[in-house]
Amino acid sequence: MSSPETDAPPTTRSPLAHRAPVIALFKSLRPRSFAQKIQWAIGLVIAAVLLVAGTFDYLSSNRLIQAQTQSTAFGHIESIAKELDGVISAVGNLPRSIAAFQETLGSTSDPAIDGFLRALIRDTPADQVYGVYLAFESLPASAPRSSLRINRKTYPEIVALNYDYHSPLYEWYHGPRRTGRLHITEPRQNSDGHTTRMVNVSAPIRSEDGRFIGAAAASIPLTSLLPTVRSRGFEGGQSHTNDDSEYTYIVSQDGNIIAHPDETLMLGDDGVSPSNIADLVAGPYVSSAPRGHARIEVEGEPRLLYWIQAPHSGWKIVLDVSEEKIRSPIDRLALRDILIVAAALLLTFIVVSYIARRMTAPITWLKSAAHALEHGEFSPDSLDPIAARTDELGELAHSFQNMARTITQREQSLAELAENLEQTIQSRTAQLAQAVTDAQNARAHAEQANQTKSEFLANMSHELRTPMNAIIGYSEMLIEEAEAAKKPHVVADLQKIRNAGKHLLDLINDILDLSKVEAGKMPLYIEQFDVREMLNEVVTTISPLIEKNQNTLDLHFADDLGTMKADVTKVRQTLFNLLGNATKFTEKGTVTFEARREVVPADSDTAPDGQSGSLSERLVFVVHDTGIGMTPDQLSRIFEAFMQADSSTTRKYGGTGLGLPISRNFCLLMGGDLLVESEYGKGSTFTIVLPAKVSRKTANTQSLGGDTGDDDDASESGSENDDATDSGAVSVTKGSSLADAAQATAPDGATILVIDDDPVMRDITSRNLTREGYHVLLASDGPKGLAIARAEKPAAIVLDILMPGMDGWAVLSALKKDPELRPIPVILASQLDEKEVGFALGAHDYLIKPVDKDRLVTAIRRHLDDPGDARPLLLVEDDKTTREMVQRLLEKEPFTIDTAEDGRAALEHLEHAQPLPAVILLDLLMPTMDGFEFLTRLRERDEWRGIPVIVLTAMDLSMAERDTLLTRAKYILPKASTGKVELIDKIRAALEGEARA
């Protein structure tokens, strides 16, 4: 049976296992003791010095050897150049002497010249000159004695040339004829039928008047030049035939190889042309300059080139040397330096080790003493030998002895203290636990007090606003009656009552807003609006206050304000507060109102979608006045709730001190801030800084309703008799029937059902609607309202939210679940500001109490103008998910939605649509035809030009693109942050604009 060990699968070797010995070696070399650290420190310093010195010596020697090599190489090829020029000069004397002799004989051949030519061949060494030539210009080549030739093959016979030397092909004749001086030809083969390879040196023959009468030449065998380049190496000594580490060769003026150790590159015996230097790797370098050096690679081998041009012949002598041969003395030098440095390092290590051990021996002794002290085995007397020294180590040992004695004494004291330490810790722990418990109780009490305060403020504001709404509503009704009765003095008194009620209501609203902010329940309703239009509304509203104190309003609005995405109500309220304060504290002065748009770096909180590091836009509103100003102490308390500058300011100017704290909290909620600067006696400057696009995530941090649900606990106001009827309104109370209500309704006019638990509000709403010609049904709670709605099918329903028992949300849900009641428009009228919830549940409009009569009537008329038929909408969107999302958002709304996947499909739909869509929802980025082109085509047709267009896009539009779109589209909404409420609002606004047009 095999053991578990033998049956176990083989372990996989770690990829780092082979590195373990290396790692262990490095760890063992790491200095641990002080002596080793000294060894390493001194050794490394000396090693660095030796390495630097060796490197410097090597580099210096390397540069010296390279300079010497270059000098030797150029000296070598210069000596060859001088030798070649000497040969050329010696050979050139032959054609010169022939030309000089012929010039004495005239322009034609004379037999006297024959003996001279034979003498020249006889007396000239055969390895220098192969033959001489003579030809005359005035005679044709075929004429007797027009040309003379004698060489080593024909000697002593003188024969004529067997070719037409007048042909431009023969350089030996036409060279001197053209240049008028000694000429050296390119390599060629002898034309006498032999295979002798040669170069010719020729001279012109001139008459007494300087006219060219012929040419004389001598030929040099190329084989006679080979010993010159093979005879010696550039460093001295004999060059070996088979040694290719270095070789020298000669190049003509035209780049042809004249002489080369590799004779295959020279002129062939068969007349094949010689190789040209351009065909070699060295060609571009040698041809570039008359003298120079370069480094090349031949078949992967690095080689060095040195070349020079002979001054007389114009030939270039090229030395090609292997770099390995050049570097051999450098490598020997490097090896010598390495050996010297290694020996010096070894000697340094031995000396440093000895010195370090001697220096650190006392320290090692002290280390052992410290170890013994740690284990309680130390005797101070053991350090007496070291303490007896007079150097620093002796002083250290003496101090160590004293420290050891002190530690021993302290250990004895600590042992005594340790006995009482545990009891002390237990006592302090109990005290700390009690303190933590007290702090938690105090925090709980504080939170409870804050919650109680918020609930009290919310409940009280609700209880106070109910009678305030009644006061305002009845006063407006009485004003209308007094105006109809032409009683102006009564109208004035009633207006004062109404204004006082509105002032009290504003104060209550401020208190409620403050409680919402402190409780973290202030909602933000984000929508896109035109900044310039909003500012114009603010200026129009505030102008009467400006004129009241004889102030001047100075406006400075930038041209590029554009649009803003924020809570327009809170922005407008903040500006009203600042401008109102400015004109209140300024008399016969100037109030300056500025607005501008800025681009600043965005952080993670203000950047769209949390993208930090980009740029974002913000709106800056500045209100400056020349009023009374504030002191530094007053300035420090300006944003505290219920605080004003001082009591005298409150007595003179009034106010509660809530406007500025609420305004600043609004700015902070929208991701901005409210800043202030002031100088006493000169005026104040308030600056609002808000992001141009308030992030949706900021709004989501706030809960949807401002009030708590505690208002549902309120008891029903009034009694049965409070549900009074007036001006044709019908009230359903306990004891009355639906049939009675139906019979009480007048036959003409649309029927409106008002469901509200407050009898005062029912009465006011009933009177206002009755005056406008509507028939009104009244219900004091939700169940009664649903019963009347099912029985009477009213044209519209005005519904309160805060009612006992079944509240307005439950009534709205029941209405929308009933197929027969679902088409009835529902207008919510409540003290709660919860538009998001209302629209999400299917409300058609939302009004906040106190409800202005004109706003209520306008809302009812808007929804009654459409008797309930669904309005056609066209959604142009290529993304299927987005199309489905928009359809779900609008499924409960009175719209029928047709879809198109791109602009071309939308145009085809419009061609056949009956009726045309009331509104078009348009995406910009689509295939085939995008939104921009679709808008252009849409506005070209007269029958389509009036259809409102709402752009839904994810594009980051520039200001120019936005301005262009707004000339063709009604609104531009970003996809990522547009909610259902905003979309429905814009669709309704577009439909209203179309109806007005």
Side-chain angles (χ1 to χ4, degrees):
M1 180 180 293
S2 60
S3 65
E5 290 79 7
T6 59
D7 290 342
T11 58
T12 303
R13 184 177 177 85
S14 172
L16 298 179
H18 66 282
R19 301 183 184 178
V22 179
I23 296 174
L25 176 61
F26 276 105
K27 288 184 177 180
S28 64
L29 294 177
R30 183 193 303 173
R32 292 180 174 83
S33 65
F34 185 65
Q36 290 176 341
K37 291 180 180 179
I38 292 178
Q39 292 173 4
W40 275 94
I42 299 177
L44 289 176
V45 171
I46 296 178
V49 173
L50 290 176
L51 288 175
V52 171
T55 303
F56 179 77
D57 179 64
Y58 169 77
L59 294 177
S60 300
S61 301
N62 186 20
R63 286 195 298 269
L64 179 61
I65 291 175
Q66 288 180 350
Q68 291 175 348
T69 300
Q70 182 174 326
S71 176
T72 302
F74 278 117
H76 170 69
I77 57 179
E78 284 175 354
S79 66
I80 294 177
K82 290 180 180 178
E83 183 176 344
L84 287 176
D85 277 354
V87 171
I88 296 299
S89 178
V91 174
N93 289 331
L94 296 181
R96 287 194 186 99
S97 61
I98 293 172
F101 189 79
Q102 180 61 44
E103 288 174 359
T104 63
L105 298 178
S107 60
T108 59
S109 175
D110 192 307
I113 196 69
D114 296 350
F116 183 72
L117 297 178
R118 292 189 186 95
L120 289 178
I121 291 296
R122 183 184 66 246
D123 297 337
T124 304
D127 60 348
Q128 289 188 2
V129 178
Y130 175 74
V132 293
Y133 311 89
L134 178 65
F136 295 96
E137 175 74 10
S138 60
L139 299 175
S142 59
R145 295 186 66 83
S146 61
S147 61
L148 304 176
R149 176 183 65 181
I150 183 170
N151 55 37
R152 303 299 174 181
K153 300 294 183 180
T154 65
Y155 182 82
E157 183 180 359
I158 297 177
V159 297
L161 297 174
N162 58 359
Y163 55 83
D164 185 4
Y165 57 85
H166 291 292
S167 172
L169 298 176
Y170 297 98
E171 185 185 358
W172 73 268
Y173 182 81
H174 288 278
R177 182 176 183 271
R178 183 176 60 253
T179 62
R181 54 185 176 82
L182 192 69
H183 182 76
I184 304 171
T185 68
E186 292 296 310
R188 70 180 185 86
Q189 194 175 29
N190 191 15
S191 302
D192 58 2
H194 299 286
T195 58
T196 304
R197 296 167 294 175
M198 61 187 68
V199 293
N200 291 330
V201 182
S202 56
I205 305 174
R206 298 188 179 279
S207 63
E208 293 181 356
D209 57 0
R211 180 172 49 84
F212 177 79
I213 60 175
S219 57
I220 304 174
L222 295 184
T223 55
S224 66
L225 300 178
L226 289 177
T228 304
V229 297
R230 292 177 175 174
S231 59
R232 59 186 181 275
F234 83 98
E235 291 181 334
Q238 189 70 24
S239 176
H240 301 285
T241 304
N242 296 327
D243 183 14
D244 60 352
S245 63
E246 66 161 291
Y247 50 85
T248 308
Y249 55 93
I250 304 172
V251 182
S252 71
Q253 294 186 26
D254 289 346
N256 294 314
I257 303 297
I258 296 176
H260 197 286
D262 183 3
E263 295 189 28
T264 60
L265 301 177
M266 298 171 56
L267 180 67
D269 293 338
D270 54 357
V272 177
S273 300
S275 297
N276 194 280
I277 190 65
D279 301 329
L280 304 181
V281 177
Y285 302 99
V286 176
S287 303
S288 63
R291 177 188 178 99
H293 63 90
R295 183 181 183 275
I296 63 173
E297 283 194 8
V298 180
E299 297 181 354
E301 179 189 8
R303 302 185 70 87
L304 298 178
L305 285 178
Y306 302 91
W307 70 89
I308 191 171
Q309 188 172 27
H312 186 67
S313 63
W315 293 347
K316 289 183 178 178
I317 295 82
V318 183
L319 173 62
D320 188 325
V321 188
S322 171
E323 189 177 45
E324 182 179 358
K325 183 175 183 179
I326 298 295
R327 292 192 60 85
S328 58
I330 300 176
D331 295 339
R332 291 193 297 272
L333 174 64
L335 178 61
R336 184 202 68 182
D337 290 343
I338 291 173
L339 293 176
I340 292 175
V341 171
L345 287 175
L346 179 60
L347 179 61
T348 300
F349 179 77
I350 295 173
V351 173
V352 168
S353 298
Y354 175 76
I355 295 174
R357 292 182 183 277
R358 290 294 304 272
M359 291 178 60
T360 58
I363 299 176
T364 304
W365 203 340
L366 287 173
K367 176 184 175 183
S368 301
H371 185 74
L373 178 63
E374 181 181 359
H375 293 83
E377 301 172 356
F378 174 69
S379 174
D381 297 335
S382 62
L383 291 180
D384 287 343
I386 302 178
R389 296 175 57 147
T390 58
D391 56 6
E392 290 83 354
L393 291 175
E395 294 178 0
L396 179 61
H398 183 71
S399 299
F400 192 89
Q401 286 178 320
N402 294 335
M403 180 186 67
R405 295 187 180 97
T406 303
I407 290 175
T408 302
Q409 296 174 359
R410 290 181 178 177
E411 285 181 347
Q412 295 175 355
S413 301
L414 288 174
E416 296 174 357
L417 293 174
E419 296 178 359
N420 301 323
L421 181 59
E422 186 174 355
Q423 297 178 356
T424 304
I425 292 176
Q426 292 178 352
S427 176
R428 295 293 175 85
T429 302
Q431 295 175 3
L432 180 60
Q434 183 61 39
V436 170
T437 302
D438 294 342
Q440 291 176 343
N441 292 335
R443 178 180 178 181
H445 292 158
E447 291 177 350
Q448 181 63 34
N450 187 55
Q451 180 67 22
T452 303
K453 181 197 72 173
S454 298
E455 293 177 357
F456 172 77
L457 290 175
N459 292 334
M460 286 302 298
S461 62
H462 176 260
E463 295 299 325
L464 289 173
R465 284 197 298 184
T466 299
M468 283 297 101
N469 291 333
I471 293 173
I472 295 172
Y474 281 123
S475 63
E476 289 179 346
M477 293 171 57
L478 292 174
I479 288 173
E480 291 182 358
E481 294 176 356
E483 288 176 344
K486 298 182 179 180
K487 297 179 179 180
H489 62 284
V490 176
V491 172
D493 293 338
L494 291 173
Q495 287 177 342
K496 293 177 183 179
I497 295 174
R498 182 188 60 183
N499 293 338
K502 287 186 175 181
H503 179 73
L504 288 175
L505 186 60
D506 290 341
L507 177 59
I508 295 169
N509 289 335
D510 286 345
I511 295 174
L512 180 59
D513 287 342
L514 185 62
S515 67
K516 286 183 178 180
V517 171
E518 292 179 350
K521 296 183 179 181
M522 173 60 71
L524 289 179
Y525 299 105
I526 308 300
E527 61 180 298
Q528 187 163 320
F529 57 91
D530 186 273
V531 178
R532 175 75 67 155
E533 291 181 4
M534 183 271 295
L535 293 178
N536 290 338
E537 294 175 3
V538 171
V539 171
T540 301
T541 304
I542 205 69
S543 293
L545 295 179
I546 296 290
E547 297 170 356
K548 180 180 178 182
N549 282 358
Q550 301 180 16
N551 292 318
T552 301
L553 181 60
D554 191 5
L555 302 178
H556 297 280
F557 296 162
D559 296 331
D560 60 343
L561 293 177
T563 61
M564 184 177 184
K565 192 175 183 67
D567 191 325
V568 64
T569 302
K570 292 180 174 56
V571 175
R572 188 187 296 113
Q573 181 177 342
T574 302
L575 292 174
F576 281 152
N577 285 339
L578 297 184
L579 289 168
N581 286 345
T583 189
K584 179 169 65 174
F585 294 109
T586 305
E587 294 183 4
K588 298 180 181 180
T590 300
V591 176
T592 303
F593 187 17
E594 301 178 10
R596 62 180 181 272
R597 197 179 193 96
E598 296 180 348
V599 178
V600 295
D603 55 30
S604 59
D605 295 328
T606 61
D609 301 329
Q611 298 177 352
S612 62
S614 61
L615 297 177
S616 68
E617 296 181 333
R618 68 182 186 184
L619 273 299
V620 179
F621 306 99
V622 181
V623 177
H624 173 74
D625 63 68
T626 58
I628 62 175
M630 290 176 283
T631 64
D633 179 62
Q634 295 170 343
L635 198 61
S636 64
R637 297 181 287 112
I638 193 64
F639 291 122
E640 296 179 12
F642 303 102
M643 296 295 295
Q644 285 198 338
D646 52 33
S647 58
S648 61
T649 303
T650 305
R651 289 192 300 269
K652 181 176 180 180
Y653 297 99
T656 62
L658 289 176
L660 289 177
I662 292 175
S663 297
R664 191 179 189 215
N665 278 299
F666 284 171
C667 294
L668 294 175
L669 281 175
M670 290 185 283
D673 202 356
L674 174 59
L675 310 174
V676 60
E677 297 177 355
S678 183
E679 185 175 355
Y680 185 73
K682 293 187 177 180
S684 303
T685 300
F686 288 84
T687 303
I688 300 175
V689 180
L690 293 174
K693 292 183 179 180
V694 176
S695 174
R696 177 66 62 178
K697 66 181 181 181
T698 304
N700 290 340
T701 59
Q702 310 297 332
S703 62
L704 283 172
D707 292 332
T708 63
D710 298 337
D711 293 328
D712 294 339
D713 298 333
S715 61
E716 182 178 356
S717 301
S719 62
E720 298 175 7
N721 296 329
D722 291 335
D723 296 336
T725 62
D726 185 32
S727 303
V730 178
S731 171
V732 180
T733 64
K734 297 176 182 179
S736 65
S737 66
L738 298 178
D740 296 335
Q743 292 174 0
T745 304
D748 298 327
T751 301
I752 309 298
L753 172 60
V754 178
I755 306 175
D756 197 319
D757 65 316
D758 186 357
V760 175
M761 294 307 302
R762 291 199 305 272
D763 183 42
I764 293 174
T765 306
S766 172
R767 292 188 182 186
N768 287 332
L769 294 179
T770 301
R771 287 196 182 100
E772 297 297 327
Y774 296 108
H775 297 165
V776 183
L777 300 176
L778 302 178
S780 60
D781 56 35
K784 295 176 183 177
L786 289 173
I788 295 176
R790 292 188 180 98
E792 301 299 329
K793 303 297 188 299
I797 298 175
V798 180
L799 176 63
D800 185 24
I801 300 292
L802 299 176
M803 296 187 295
M806 188 178 191
D807 63 8
W809 301 130
V811 175
L812 181 59
S813 299
L815 288 171
K816 294 306 175 181
K817 289 178 182 178
D818 191 326
E820 295 183 356
L821 302 181
R822 185 181 302 146
I824 301 176
V826 179
I827 301 170
L828 295 177
S830 175
Q831 297 175 4
L832 295 181
D833 188 2
E834 296 192 1
K835 294 181 181 179
E836 293 277 354
V837 179
F839 287 130
L841 293 177
H844 288 63
D845 222 322
Y846 200 111
L847 304 177
I848 298 177
K849 294 181 180 179
V851 178
D852 182 75
K853 183 194 74 172
D854 294 335
R855 291 181 58 199
L856 176 61
V857 172
T858 300
I860 292 175
R861 286 176 177 172
R862 178 168 63 245
H863 297 294
L864 292 185
D865 287 342
D866 183 359
D869 296 337
R871 303 293 297 276
L873 265 66
L874 175 59
L875 172 60
V876 187
E877 169 63 62
D878 64 317
D879 183 59
K880 181 180 179 182
T881 303
T882 304
R883 290 199 303 272
E884 294 176 352
M885 180 197 69
V886 175
Q887 286 177 301
R888 286 198 302 271
L889 284 176
L890 303 178
E891 62 183 358
K892 295 182 179 180
E893 302 302 320
F895 306 128
T896 59
I897 303 176
D898 296 316
T899 61
E901 295 184 356
D902 54 54
R904 189 178 303 280
L907 292 176
E908 293 174 356
H909 173 83
L910 292 174
E911 292 284 356
H912 306 92
Q914 291 296 331
L916 290 173
V919 176
I920 298 176
L921 304 180
L922 176 65
D923 185 24
L924 292 180
L925 297 177
M926 297 181 295
T928 309
M929 180 185 291
D930 61 16
F932 293 97
E933 185 177 354
F934 172 78
L935 280 173
T936 302
R937 300 279 292 275
L938 182 73
R939 298 315 181 197
E940 290 175 352
R941 297 276 293 269
D942 293 338
E943 62 270 28
W944 299 345
R945 189 173 294 129
I947 302 176
V949 178
I950 299 176
V951 174
L952 287 171
T953 182
M955 284 184 62
D956 188 9
L957 299 173
S958 65
M959 293 301 295
E961 291 172 332
R962 182 178 296 276
D963 293 341
T964 301
L965 285 174
L966 287 176
T967 62
R968 301 174 180 177
K970 194 75 173 179
Y971 304 105
I972 302 174
L973 304 179
K975 286 184 179 179
S977 58
T978 299
K980 175 180 178 181
V981 174
E982 184 176 1
L983 178 59
I984 294 174
D985 278 349
K986 297 306 181 185
I987 293 175
R988 288 176 176 170
L991 291 174
E992 292 173 14
E994 180 189 16
R996 287 193 296 268

